[in-house]
Amino acid sequence: MDFTPSEEQTAAQGLAARIFGDLSTHERLTAAGTGTDAELWKELCAAGLPAAVEDIGLLGLVLVLEEQGRTTAQVPLAATCVYGLLAVAAHGTPEQRERLLPGLRDGTAVATGAFPARGGVHIAEDGALYGSVPWVPWLRDAALVLVADAERGLWIVRTGEPDVTAVPVETTAPWSAGRLVLDGVRGERLGNGQPGAYADVLATARTAFAGLQAGVCAGSLARAVHHTVTREQFGRPLSTNQGVLLRAADAHMDTEAIRVTAYEAAWRHDEQRACEAQALTAAWWASEAGKRVVHAGQHLHGGTGADLDHPVHRHFLWGRQLDAYLGCGGEVLEELGRLLAHSGQEGAS
């Protein structure tokens, strides 16, 4: 395995770091409230970052999403790239790729996904889709939703259709989420219904959002380090306290574990190797360790960390939201255990 970024991936990460660092400031995030920063999204699209994902691959996307996570920038980058660009490019028909990809590349069409499949959407005998999904990230911004039905078939649904309702929902993090209700809409099947498409999109999503969590944790830890180095107690910096050092060290190791497992899953995906188990591993680390890191980041700020308007609190909210979205640790671990047990039985037979 070689996780060394290519020249193109490094350039994309550097560009993302500059744009997010310049524009995703505390003042702009405060002004955006719980909605999307539309101007930042336009800037990212004008710079060609969403379009570059097809060239830099999933590992490149993970690197870019790390930079988004560091600043908790409120843009639908992960959802559009995973459920839109990469899903259509990998599994769409030639006609779908020609029709849908241009809008996804330039950002005029935002995409999201009703994932994972939990039996909430069903296909009627006439082929129409019925059901609801409690909350879908960035649904309020989306023109296209990739819906997974109860049988794990993939459908493209347009939010402007009369039989599609998006009810605004406020989640822990400001993700412009909504409750998706389908009442007999005629969805467009993604591709030709080839087997494995659902599993591939789900693994891609888990890896990408784990990369986002790595950035959220890195940003939280960086704020905690700055605070404990510059804040003094009894005439010396808080960072000289052994308990503070140990807590920060544990958070650093957890962050690195999230990062390296996300890199491995992304690298295997780009190399067209089996990556379902690795994606689940990355999701588990992002969920369990991510939760620990953002709690540590807030606790290391002492009383300051209790201020809901402090920038570190955003990292806490994003970390907890990603924990829930990725499966809350135990759920992911159970799925990984079933996958490994099934693989072991197949090997024995």
Side-chain angles (χ1 to χ4, degrees):
M1 292 180 289
D2 183 5
F3 304 150
T4 304
S6 66
E7 184 177 342
E8 292 79 9
Q9 290 168 338
T10 301
Q13 183 182 24
L15 178 60
R18 180 178 61 79
I19 294 175
F20 287 129
D22 289 346
L23 298 182
S24 187
T25 61
H26 176 63
E27 292 73 23
R28 287 178 64 98
L29 288 168
T30 301
T34 61
T36 297
D37 188 334
E39 292 303 315
L40 174 55
W41 178 243
K42 289 179 182 178
E43 186 71 23
L44 290 171
C45 295
L49 277 174
V53 171
E54 291 175 88
D55 296 321
I56 62 178
L58 183 54
L59 180 55
L61 176 59
V62 165
L63 293 170
V64 169
L65 291 175
E66 272 193 79
E67 301 307 325
Q68 179 186 355
R70 289 179 198 276
T71 60
T72 60
Q74 292 170 201
V75 288
L77 183 60
T80 294
C81 290
V82 168
Y83 300 121
L85 272 164
L86 294 179
V88 172
H91 304 291
T93 64
E95 187 277 332
Q96 287 174 329
R97 292 196 292 269
E98 183 179 358
R99 172 166 47 89
L100 299 175
L101 287 178
L104 293 167
R105 287 171 182 147
D106 64 21
T108 54
V110 171
T112 188
F115 268 69
R118 300 188 186 277
V121 177
H122 301 271
I123 310 172
E125 292 183 0
D126 61 357
L129 297 173
Y130 290 86
S132 65
V133 181
W135 72 275
V136 178
W138 309 107
L139 182 61
R140 282 179 265 165
D141 298 330
L144 305 172
V145 185
L146 187 63
V147 177
D149 64 37
E151 303 301 321
R152 299 190 172 185
L154 300 183
W155 303 85
I156 300 171
V157 171
R158 295 187 178 274
T159 55
E161 295 291 330
D163 297 318
V164 179
T165 304
V167 182
V169 172
E170 295 301 337
T171 53
T172 302
W175 283 9
S176 296
R179 179 171 180 259
L180 179 68
V181 180
L182 307 177
D183 188 20
V185 67
R186 296 284 178 173
E188 175 186 354
R189 184 178 285 275
L190 178 64
N192 300 312
Q194 57 267 51
Y198 169 81
D200 177 67
V201 174
L202 182 57
T204 301
R206 283 169 166 160
T207 303
F209 281 95
L212 185 60
Q213 182 76 302
V216 169
C217 292
S220 174
L221 183 58
R223 291 189 182 279
V225 168
H226 179 267
H227 176 79
T228 55
V229 167
T230 56
R231 184 67 175 264
E232 291 190 356
Q233 189 178 61
F234 305 119
R236 62 178 187 172
L238 289 172
S239 60
T240 59
N241 183 293
Q242 187 178 39
V244 171
L245 289 171
L246 293 174
R247 191 78 186 276
D250 286 342
H252 171 74
M253 294 303 296
D254 274 338
T255 301
E256 289 302 302
I258 300 168
R259 179 180 286 118
V260 73
T261 52
Y263 285 3
E264 180 186 5
W267 178 83
R268 291 183 67 91
H269 179 277
D270 291 343
E271 293 293 316
Q272 298 183 335
R273 302 188 183 194
C275 63
E276 187 176 358
Q278 286 75 18
L280 280 165
T281 301
W284 182 83
W285 273 104
S287 178
E288 285 290 299
K291 180 168 52 181
R292 291 196 296 266
V293 173
V294 296
H295 273 268
Q298 188 152 322
H299 289 167
L300 287 173
H301 277 75
T304 307
D307 182 358
L308 302 186
D309 295 323
H310 194 282
V312 77
H313 188 64
R314 290 196 186 91
H315 293 273
F316 176 77
L317 295 178
W318 276 67
R320 292 313 307 259
Q321 187 65 59
L322 283 161
D323 166 38
Y325 190 60
L326 289 165
C328 296
E331 182 182 348
V332 176
L333 193 61
E334 181 182 1
E335 185 177 345
L336 178 59
R338 289 198 303 268
L339 175 65
L340 295 177
H342 180 69
S343 301
Q345 289 172 359
E346 286 188 339
S349 60

